[in-house]
Amino acid sequence: MQLGRGLLTSPSIVAVARLLDRLSRATFDRALRPTIPEPEDAPMTITARIGIVGGNGWLGSAIASAVLASGRLDPARLTISGRSDRRGTAETPGVHWTQSNRELTERSDVVVLSVRPQDFSDLSIDARGKLVLSVMAGIAADTIAERTGAAEVVRSIPNAAAAIRRSFTPWYALPAVSAENKALVQALFETCGEAAEVPREAHIDYCVGMTGSGAAFPALLASALIDHALAQGLPRDFAERAARSVVADASQLLRGENGDPSRIVQEMIDYRGTTAAALATMQDKGFADAVAAGLDAAGAKATALSAG
Ligand SMILES: NC(=O)C1=CN([C@@H]2O[C@H](COP(=O)(O)OP(=O)(O)OC[C@H]3O[C@@H](n4cnc5c(N)ncnc54)[C@H](OP(=O)(O)O)[C@@H]3O)[C@@H](O)[C@H]2O)C=CC1
Ligand SMILES: O=C(O)[C@@H]1CCC=N1
């Protein structure tokens, strides 16, 4: 008893007991406490003044809507121009509308060129000292620099899914573009979905087909599925619902942990069931060749459009 009481009350034993108690409480706390995620980098506020030439068109208004919806840009910092008086997103309170590209340029630090490639030759813009950001297919960065007087030129290819903030947007910057402006371009396109800088301008020319036109490819697949189902006598509303789900929902498998496309295809082939039969026949009928030829045709068309 004497010995026991002595041990339990000796200063060193008390210190060890307190330490063990603290450790077990800490373990208990850690087990119960929800994991607090590391704070993500706060989205960049865009303080530059943005002007979108052709911002009343399909892609320009999608970009304008996305950047405004993100809350990263004060509408008062956005200017939109068009040839006609069709204003589109420029109706948003605070956004400035003009039919003068000179006024747009004066009001902007970043001039986004969103006119059709064949209309670029009619465009007269003096953007010296500004960042010029083109979304036009096929027009070379050097040509844009020469025609606008801007040294800092970025070429990009968003796609139609910018309208729902799901575009994948590759962009290429001339060497003169500052790191700050590159960060700005990335932040701007992240409001439209995902964005990635590419190291060579040729990658942008390639991406005109793959990602720029790519937003139409799932629709082509869904249309083919619908047409086939209709030909087999299935009701249209069912066929459309089923095809949209296959393309828009089942494709989310690609976002999963095991989302590697070639792995998914291989697993289906290895299963040796109905899906393998479908895939093998589609490949035999030239599926991959048709995709490759389509991408080549998109690239060729971009070159032709840029020639005027
Ligand atoms: N749509 C898409 O999915 C994609 C488009 N792109 C590229 O984006 C660019 C724009 O395409 P998109 O939005 O589809 O085309 P749109 O025809 O829908 O829009 C182009 C707009 O440019 C305006 N415009 C033409 N000339 C002038 C001018 N001198 N000054 C001011 N505005 C002008 C037109 O105005 P108005 O109608 O008033 O005449 C029109 O609204 C193209 O270069 C295209 O290659 C790239 C990737 C995807
Ligand atoms: O179809 C087009 O011409 C535009 C350019 C790239 C994608 N869409």
Side-chain angles (χ1 to χ4, degrees), residues 8-243:
L8 284 173
T9 53
S10 83
S12 58
I13 292 291
V14 169
V16 169
R18 281 193 181 139
L19 179 65
L20 286 173
D21 183 53
R22 271 210 304 276
L23 284 173
S24 69
R25 275 172 200 270
T27 309
F28 183 72
D29 285 351
R30 265 201 304 277
L32 289 187
R33 198 172 44 213
T35 310
I36 301 167
E38 291 294 317
E40 286 179 20
D41 288 344
M44 180 174 154
T45 300
I46 298 172
T47 52
R49 298 166 306 153
I50 313 281
I52 308 180
V53 179
N56 61 343
W58 183 352
L59 184 61
S61 33
I63 294 170
S65 301
V67 72
L68 291 172
S70 75
R72 294 192 202 177
L73 181 74
D74 178 349
R77 292 180 178 273
L78 181 60
T79 302
I80 287 176
S81 75
R83 273 180 312 201
S84 66
D85 198 33
R86 184 173 57 98
R87 301 186 178 199
T89 314
E91 305 276 12
T92 308
V95 175
H96 187 79
W97 162 258
T98 181
Q99 284 171 290
S100 158
N101 290 323
R102 185 179 181 156
E103 185 191 357
L104 176 142
T105 308
E106 282 168 3
R107 290 175 57 89
S108 307
D109 306 306
V110 181
V111 177
V112 180
L113 300 179
S114 188
V115 302
R116 296 206 181 195
Q118 55 270 43
D119 290 333
F120 178 61
S121 56
D122 291 340
L123 205 59
S124 171
I125 283 188
D126 181 351
R128 271 171 289 186
K130 319 258 175 185
L131 171 67
V132 171
L133 170 53
S134 167
V135 298
M136 296 180 293
I139 312 279
D142 282 344
T143 307
I144 295 167
E146 196 182 304
R147 291 283 319 282
T148 62
E152 293 192 82
V153 172
V154 170
R155 270 188 73 192
S156 66
I157 286 292
N159 65 42
I164 54 164
R165 306 184 66 186
R166 292 289 178 96
S167 168
F168 180 87
T169 306
W171 55 272
Y172 164 79
L174 283 181
V177 178
S178 68
E180 192 187 344
N181 277 338
K182 285 183 174 193
L184 170 60
V185 168
Q186 179 71 16
L188 183 66
F189 284 132
E190 281 179 356
T191 70
C192 304
E194 290 183 50
E197 182 181 9
V198 294
R200 300 215 318 257
E201 187 166 3
H203 295 160
I204 293 297
D205 290 318
Y206 175 76
C207 285
V208 167
M210 187 185 176
T211 59
S213 306
F217 304 159
L220 182 67
L221 176 58
S223 285
L225 293 171
I226 291 167
D227 289 348
H228 188 267
L230 293 179
Q232 309 310 307
L234 275 83
R236 177 171 282 280
D237 59 346
F238 173 86
E240 288 185 355
R241 207 173 131 207

